[in-house]
Amino acid sequence: MKIEEEIAKLKKERGATILAHNYQRGEVQDAADFTGDSLELARKAASVDADVIVFCGVYFMAETAAILNPSKTVLIPDPDAGCPMADMVNAKDLRELKAKHPGAVVVSYVNSTAEVKAECDICVTSGNAERVMASIPGDREVIFVPDRHLGSHVSGLLGRKYILWPGYCPTHARITVPRIELARRAHPGAPVLVHPECAEDVRAAADERLSTGGMCAYARESNAEEIIVGTETGILHRLMQENPGKKFWPVDENAICPNMKKTTLESLRDSLRDMKTRVVVEEGVANRARRAIEAMLGVA
Ligand code: 13P
Ligand code: SF4
C-alpha cells in the first residue's frame, strides 16, 4: 500500500482530521484535510468535529489547537518541531516586563508558548494583527511579544508606539533587500509580496506585506502572471497548485524553516498509527491562554 493510502485508511479508522500549515512539505499539505495560515488553522481547530486532530505544523500551533479543544486528542507528528521565535520570550521574563508597565495591554503573536499566552490579554496572528491591535484603546500602553518586526509593522500601520520584545524569525531574516532587487531584475513588473515577519527595510522594499493566507488570496485575485514571494518556500506548493496559469518566484529559495520541514509523510503515518505525540497543556495555563486566543477570535 502506498503511504498516502495508509494515511487515508488510518485517518478514517481514527476519526481524525489532518490540519497543515502553508509551510509544510507539499506532500504533507496534499495529505491534509485543510491547509492554511495560523489564523485559518486556529479557526478550523476551534470548529472541527473530529475526535482527533493531527497538526502538521510547529508546536505552538498544535498547542493552540489543544487549548481550544481540551476534550479532543491533538497529535503532532514531530514534537521537536519548535519555533525559535516563540522560544525568544518566556513567561518569567514577560512577567518582569509587565511589572514595569502595570497598566499595559499585553499582546502576543500566536507564535508563542502556551505559558506566554497565559500572561497575555489578547493574541494576534499576522492575518489579523492590524484589526486586533486597532481594537485596543489609544490611551493604553501596549506590550507586544515576541516578534519585533510584526509589532513594528502594525505600529507603522496604526501610527501607535508599542513596547516591542526583540524577537524575530531566523527564516524570514534570510529575506533581504538585495535579494528582492535581484528578483525584481530577473522578473520585471512582478509584484513582490513579503511576510510581516520580515525586517523593516525588506517590508519597505516590497509591494505588499501579507500573511501566508493573504498571499494566497492576493495570488487568486491579482491579474499578475508572475509574483515574487518573500516568505518560507513551502507556500509555493499551494500557490502553484491553486494558480496553474501563474508563475511564482521565491525571493530566497533558502528561506526554509527547518522545523516546519520536520513533519514527513512517514511521521504523519506513524502519528496516526501509534496515536503520538499527544499535545497536552496544563489546565490552569490552558484556561488563561484560551482567554487570550478567544479574545482574538472574537475581534477578527
Ligand atoms: P502565517 O501563516 O499566519 O502568515 O504565519 C507565518 C508563520 O511564520 C507561522 O509560523
Ligand atoms: Fe517560527 Fe519562523 Fe519557522 Fe514560522 S517560519 S515557525 S516564525 S521559525
Side-chain angles (χ1 to χ4, degrees), residues 105-127:
V105 177
V106 185
V107 183
S108 168
Y109 190 19
V110 281
N111 297 33
S112 53
T113 62
E115 287 77 11
V116 164
K117 288 185 179 81
E119 293 294 330
C120 294
D121 297 300
I122 193 160
C123 290
V124 300
T125 74
S126 58

Side-chain angles (χ1 to χ4, degrees), residues 21-23 36-39 58 60-61 83 85 109-111 125-127 169 172 195-197 210-213 231 260:
H21 186 264
N22 288 326
Y23 296 160
D37 70 8
S38 309
L39 178 60
V58 289
F60 75 77
M61 295 179 172
C83 167
M85 179 209 281
Y109 190 19
V110 281
N111 297 33
T125 74
S126 58
C169 165
H172 285 87
H195 197 274
E197 285 177 18
L210 300 165
S211 71
T212 61
T231 191
M260 282 286 182

